[in-house]
């Protein structure tokens, strides 16, 4: 009887701890990265799908999703195809945006900015890079309008994201910009254009 | 005591008083006692159901309100609200367990609310921080984190939510091109709780609900996890599965009572009957077998797992069949022979489709007629009418499936109708004989 009571209380304790641990862990590292991580800007192209459990979001396709791999990378992928994690080093361009530079596996590049990413072999020497930020959640009614707002600026590289990067390569999406404005501001302006 | 049994006992009391077996006062006392028990049992079930519904509605409503995207509220305050709801739900669980350690409505409701609060937390924090991730990960995390809570509260509603989550995970995983074999491990995670429930409360409604939910989940899981490298193996698997359910030798599982009270037998009989009816058609036998073996687009490990499971299930079913043969259990032999028949049919259908279809139809007819006769013999109207319905369905399906002339169809309809009327008259005569005889 005492054993049953102990077991029951142990299970309840484990349940409470695990239920709290998951959300706290999810928030913890990301909140720190948003506060203290280095801020970078990347060009992207949004699309609009629907995630039933998390509301509507704008799917992000950052520029530089498909890259060429070198021989060492191809050899590594052939030897261990199940290993998909890599580090993507970034370089800053003259306009202040960053772009993908080089992929490394096993260990992060020595210095400079980098993301932790996942990679998929496409064919030949092409690799698809899966960034740790691929969606921007919005209110249900706003995401389609965000998409149509982007189409207005299509082809002019008018959409980009601001990302915070922690020293260990963890990245958190901070903001989506369309036409140089945060998406919510841009939507407000498009709904109520300023008087000439 | 189950409601059906209480009803039977109350109906027997007048006859017992008439025959002098019970004094009228004693019969009245027995009737009063069991009416009160029945009414408490019904109230308890209603209370549990309404509490669970209430928790689902409140939890679902909170999720919907939150999911409207509170962009105008500061992130910190949104976090505070979310975690507050989660902690509050945990406090409700603790309070419910203290006031009702044996379980019941409040514990069930609190557990459901807590699981939903956790699911809302994970979903909305992902949204707030734009965290990428797949539905598969979400279902898996929610299922695994719910497990200790379900064991701590022994909540049946919580267990049903767990089944839904793991099956959703498996479906999403297979759809995404992954392998859903771990689903069996996830389902096995519920076995200790199910075993304990059967040992301590075998006849209770909550246990029966749990067992029914578990069996239906297994039936769905079998279809989802099959890799289908060799098309058509599903019929051997399902036939073996339903035979195992019917012939089971599981301890503590109820083996007396009506359709609801015997989940394993009922699931086995209904499942096997529907499968056999399906296999009397031509189309399930087309494009299956070794000539249609998939050479690409499947996971070799998952395919190997298929073969292990199917061979294992078939072997076990045949073992139980031989046991039934040894004990000369006619009904068990009849239903238990299905996997052997289906396996042989699968192996030979490509060269002998017409004989296979003939055998399937003949077997289905024998099953149906035997069920009718068994219903008359043991005095169970459900079996009688179930068997009749089965035979009617079989013949109707053949009518719409063949080129028989209208005269033949008309005569057959008349014969079916006469069969129905005659068997029910036989049943009524038997019941009358038994009543007068005693």
């Amino acid at each position: 009887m005492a054993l049953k009571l102990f077991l029951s209380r142990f299970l309840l304790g484990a349940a409470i701890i695990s239920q709290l641990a998951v959300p706290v862990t999810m928030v913890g590292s990301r909140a720190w990265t948003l506060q203290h991580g280095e801020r970078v800007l990347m060009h992207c192209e949004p699309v609009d799908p629907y995630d039933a459990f998390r509301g509507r979001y704008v799917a992000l396709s950052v520029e530089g999703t498909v890259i060429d791999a070198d021989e060492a990378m191809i050899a590594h992928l052939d030897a261990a195809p199940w290993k998909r994690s890599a580090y993507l080093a970034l370089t800053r361009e003259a306009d202040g945006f960053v772009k993908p530079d080089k992929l490394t596996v096993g260990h992060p590049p020595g210095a400079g900015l980098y993301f932790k990413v996942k990679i998929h072999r496409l064919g030949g020497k092409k690799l698809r890079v899966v960034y740790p930020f691929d969606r921007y959640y919005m209110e249900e009614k706003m995401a389609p309008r965000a998409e149509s707002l982007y189409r207005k600026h299509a082809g002019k590289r008018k959409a980009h994201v601001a990302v915070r990067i922690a020293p260990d390569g963890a990245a958190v999406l901070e903001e989506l910009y369309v036409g140089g404005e945060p998406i919510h501001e841009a939507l407000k302006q498009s709904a109520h254009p300023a008087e000439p | 005591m189950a409601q059906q049994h209480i009803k039977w006992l109350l109906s027997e009391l007048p006859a017992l008083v008439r025959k002098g077996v019970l004094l009228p006062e004693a019969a009245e006392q027995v009737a009063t006692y069991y009416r009160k028990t029945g009414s408490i049992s019904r109230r308890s079930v209603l209370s549990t159901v309404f509490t669970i519904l209430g928790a689902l509605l409140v939890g679902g409503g909170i999720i919907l309100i939150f999911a409207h995207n509170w962009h105008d509220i500061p992130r910190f305050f949104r976090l505070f609200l979310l975690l507050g709801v989660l902690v509050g739900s945990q406090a409700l669980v603790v309070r419910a367990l203290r006031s009702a350690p044996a379980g019941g409505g409040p514990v069930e409701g609190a557990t459901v609310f807590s699981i939903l609060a956790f699911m809302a937390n994970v979903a909305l924090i992902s949204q707030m921080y734009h965290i990428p991730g797949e539905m598969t990960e979400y279902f898996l995390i929610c299922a695994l984190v719910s497990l200790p809570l379900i064991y701590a509260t022994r909540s049946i509603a919580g267990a049903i939510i767990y089944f839904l989550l793991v099956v959703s995970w498996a479906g999403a995983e297979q759809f995404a091109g992954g392998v859903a074999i771990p689903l069996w491990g996830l389902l096995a995670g519920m076995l200790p709780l199910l075993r304990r429930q059967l040992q301590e409360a075998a006849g209770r409604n909550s246990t029966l609900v749990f067992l029914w939910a578990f069996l239906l989940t297994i039936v769905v899981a079998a279809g989802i996890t099959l890799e289908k490298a060799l098309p058509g193996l599903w019929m051997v698997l399902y036939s073996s599965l339903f035979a195992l359910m019917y012939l089971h030798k599981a301890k503590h599982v109820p083996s007396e009572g009506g359709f609801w009270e015997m989940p394993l037998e009922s699931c086995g009989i209904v499942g096997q009957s529907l499968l056999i009816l399906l296999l009397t058609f031509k189309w399930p036998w087309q494009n299956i077998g070794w000539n249609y073996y998939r050479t690409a687009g499947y996971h070799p490990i998952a395919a190997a797992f298929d073969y292990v499971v199917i061979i294992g299930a078939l072997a076990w079913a045949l073992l139980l069949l031989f046991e039934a043969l040894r004990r000369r259990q006619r009904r068990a032999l009849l239903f238990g022979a299905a996997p052997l028949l289906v396996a042989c049919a699968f192996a030979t259908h490509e060269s002998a489709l017409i004989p296979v279809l003939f055998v399937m139809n003949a077997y289905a007819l024998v099953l149906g007629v035997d069920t009718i006769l068994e219903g008359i013999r043991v005095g169970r109207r459900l079996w009688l009418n179930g068997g009749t319905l089965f035979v009617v369905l079989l013949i109707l399906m053949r009518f719409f499936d063949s080129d028989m002339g209208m005269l033949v169809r008309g005569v057959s309809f008349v014969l079916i109708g006469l069969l129905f009327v005659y068997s029910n008259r036989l049943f009524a005569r038997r019941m009358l004989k038994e009543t007068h005889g005693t």
Side-chain angles (χ1 to χ4, degrees):
Chain A
M1 198 64 189
L3 180 64
K4 271 189 182 174
L5 188 62
F6 169 75
L7 205 58
S8 175
R9 286 182 177 172
F10 175 76
L11 285 168
L12 188 61
I16 290 171
I17 290 169
S18 58
Q19 279 194 331
L20 288 172
V22 170
V24 166
T25 308
M26 287 168 78
V27 170
S29 61
R30 288 177 175 84
W32 187 92
T33 305
L34 278 175
Q35 283 293 316
H36 305 289
E38 182 160 351
R39 193 169 189 266
V40 299
L41 305 178
M42 296 186 78
H43 292 291
C44 64
E45 303 173 354
V47 185
D48 177 34
Y50 181 74
D51 181 319
F53 282 82
R54 288 181 279 187
R56 195 168 285 268
Y57 63 88
V58 178
L60 306 173
S61 178
V62 177
E63 283 188 2
T65 305
V66 178
I67 61 174
D68 288 322
D70 56 25
E71 295 296 335
M73 177 66 65
I74 298 293
H76 166 81
L77 288 173
D78 285 339
W82 59 88
K83 286 190 180 174
R84 299 284 174 84
S85 296
Y87 297 93
L88 180 67
L90 306 166
T91 56
R92 240 182 242 284
E93 293 186 309
D95 57 2
F97 284 76
V98 297
K99 68 170 191 179
D101 181 26
K102 199 180 164 192
L103 268 178
T104 56
V105 289
H107 56 84
L113 289 170
Y114 62 89
F115 288 140
K116 275 184 204 168
V117 296
K118 293 209 181 299
I119 48 178
H120 290 285
R121 190 92 181 262
L122 287 179
K125 288 187 178 178
K126 298 283 182 192
L127 295 178
R128 185 165 68 85
V129 177
V130 180
Y131 288 90
F133 41 88
D134 64 358
R135 57 196 66 176
Y136 185 89
Y137 283 96
M138 304 187 67
E139 283 178 48
E140 287 181 41
K141 292 174 188 170
M142 291 171 103
R145 283 176 54 214
E147 168 68 12
S148 65
L149 194 65
Y150 175 75
R151 284 202 195 107
K152 249 171 119 180
H153 300 87
K156 298 175 189 175
R157 293 182 99 205
K158 286 288 188 180
H160 67 270
V161 288
V163 179
R164 293 276 184 174
I165 308 177
D168 65 350
V172 180
L173 181 62
E174 189 183 66
E175 188 57 80
L176 169 65
Y177 292 85
V178 176
E181 297 281 342
I183 185 67
H184 292 94
E185 290 302 320
L187 285 169
K188 277 182 197 167
Q189 283 178 15
S190 72
H192 305 287
E195 302 255 346
Chain B
M1 194 189 248
Q3 282 302 307
Q4 188 185 355
H5 299 152
I6 292 174
K7 219 171 158 182
W8 171 83
L9 180 63
L10 293 175
S11 68
E12 288 291 307
L13 289 176
L16 291 171
V17 170
R18 240 185 354 261
K19 288 165 193 169
V21 174
L22 274 182
L23 291 172
E25 296 78 19
E28 187 54 40
Q29 282 175 336
V30 168
T32 307
Y33 174 78
Y34 279 105
R35 274 195 198 107
K36 192 176 163 195
T37 309
S39 133
I40 288 172
S41 171
R42 272 194 299 277
R43 276 204 299 272
S44 161
V45 166
L46 271 174
S47 160
T48 303
V49 167
F50 281 136
T51 313
I52 293 169
L53 280 175
L56 277 172
L57 284 167
V58 170
I62 289 175
I63 288 171
L64 285 171
I65 290 169
F66 282 6
H68 191 60
N69 299 4
W70 284 356
H71 286 284
D72 295 330
I73 299 174
R75 188 177 274 157
F76 175 76
F77 192 62
R78 278 182 270 162
L79 270 176
F80 178 76
L81 280 173
L82 282 175
L83 289 172
V85 167
L86 182 59
V87 171
S89 73
Q90 292 169 342
L92 276 176
V93 168
V94 170
R95 189 164 179 272
L97 280 173
R98 275 194 178 158
S99 63
V107 173
E108 293 281 351
T111 307
V112 166
F113 183 62
S114 189
I115 293 174
L116 289 179
F118 175 76
M119 289 174 68
N121 262 263
V122 173
L124 292 165
I125 288 173
S126 301
Q127 186 195 85
M128 282 162 58
Y129 289 93
H130 310 293
I131 299 173
E134 301 303 326
M135 291 306 296
T136 50
E137 292 166 3
Y138 178 71
F139 287 136
L140 193 59
I141 288 171
C142 292
L144 290 174
V145 170
S146 303
L147 208 47
L149 180 65
I150 293 165
Y151 269 86
T153 58
R154 296 177 65 175
S155 162
I156 307 304
I160 291 173
I161 293 177
Y162 177 83
F163 291 145
L164 289 170
L165 285 170
V166 298
V167 166
S168 301
W169 168 81
E173 186 69 24
Q174 288 283 125
F175 186 74
V179 173
I181 294 171
L183 174 61
W184 296 107
L186 291 169
L187 288 177
M190 268 297 155
L191 283 176
L193 185 63
L194 179 61
R195 187 167 173 269
R196 194 174 159 196
Q197 195 72 16
L198 286 167
Q199 279 174 337
E200 295 177 11
R204 287 176 66 178
N205 263 329
S206 55
T207 306
L208 291 173
V209 168
F210 194 175
L211 195 46
W212 271 103
F214 185 69
L215 290 173
L216 291 174
T217 304
I218 286 180
V219 172
V220 171
I224 289 177
T225 55
L226 268 183
E227 191 64 4
K228 304 172 191 71
L230 179 58
L233 277 182
W234 61 270
M235 47 179 83
V236 180
L237 175 64
Y238 271 108
S239 185
S240 304
L241 191 64
F242 291 132
L244 282 171
M245 285 181 187
Y246 183 71
L247 297 171
H248 81 95
K249 296 278 182 239
K251 284 185 191 171
H252 307 295
V253 175
S255 56
E256 285 178 0
F259 183 85
W260 170 251
E261 277 100 9
M262 296 198 300
L264 276 163
E265 285 86 353
S266 303
C267 213
I269 287 175
V270 171
Q272 196 74 272
S273 304
L274 290 175
L275 177 68
I276 296 299
L277 266 183
L278 188 67
L279 295 181
T280 59
F281 283 96
K282 197 174 173 183
W283 60 266
W285 300 98
Q286 290 172 329
N287 304 325
I288 63 169
W290 291 104
N291 286 339
Y292 297 91
Y293 185 82
R294 286 163 55 196
T295 51
Y298 67 88
H299 292 270
I301 294 174
F305 186 78
D306 278 3
Y307 304 138
V308 168
V309 166
I310 290 167
I311 290 169
L314 182 61
W316 191 3
L318 291 177
L319 209 67
L320 292 178
L321 176 67
F322 289 131
E323 180 73 18
L325 178 66
R326 203 173 58 82
R327 292 183 182 185
R328 299 188 183 183
Q329 292 169 323
R330 193 181 54 78
R331 286 288 288 171
L333 268 176
L334 197 55
F335 270 94
L340 185 61
L341 208 60
V342 170
C344 292
F346 178 77
T348 57
H349 77 280
E350 283 175 292
S351 55
L353 181 59
I354 302 300
V356 159
L357 288 174
F358 177 79
V359 166
M360 282 295 143
N361 277 273
Y363 179 63
L365 187 63
V366 166
L367 273 183
V369 169
D370 187 79
T371 305
I372 293 169
L373 294 174
E374 185 72 9
I376 294 169
R377 193 181 70 79
V378 302
R380 293 183 69 170
R381 203 181 286 272
L382 180 65
W383 285 53
L384 165 66
N385 289 329
T388 308
L389 179 66
F390 184 80
V391 171
V392 165
L393 272 175
L394 176 66
I395 295 175
L396 277 177
M397 284 183 334
R398 292 288 73 75
F399 279 179
F400 290 108
D401 194 32
S402 72
D403 293 333
M404 280 187 186
M406 284 208 180
L407 180 65
V408 174
R409 286 188 222 180
V411 167
S412 300
F413 271 127
V414 167
L415 285 175
I416 291 166
L418 284 175
L419 170 69
F420 210 131
V421 169
Y422 179 69
S423 54
N424 270 283
R425 277 190 70 185
L426 261 183
F427 180 83
R429 256 193 227 158
R430 187 196 162 91
M431 289 292 105
L432 206 62
K433 203 172 163 186
E434 278 182 3
T435 311
H436 282 300
T438 52

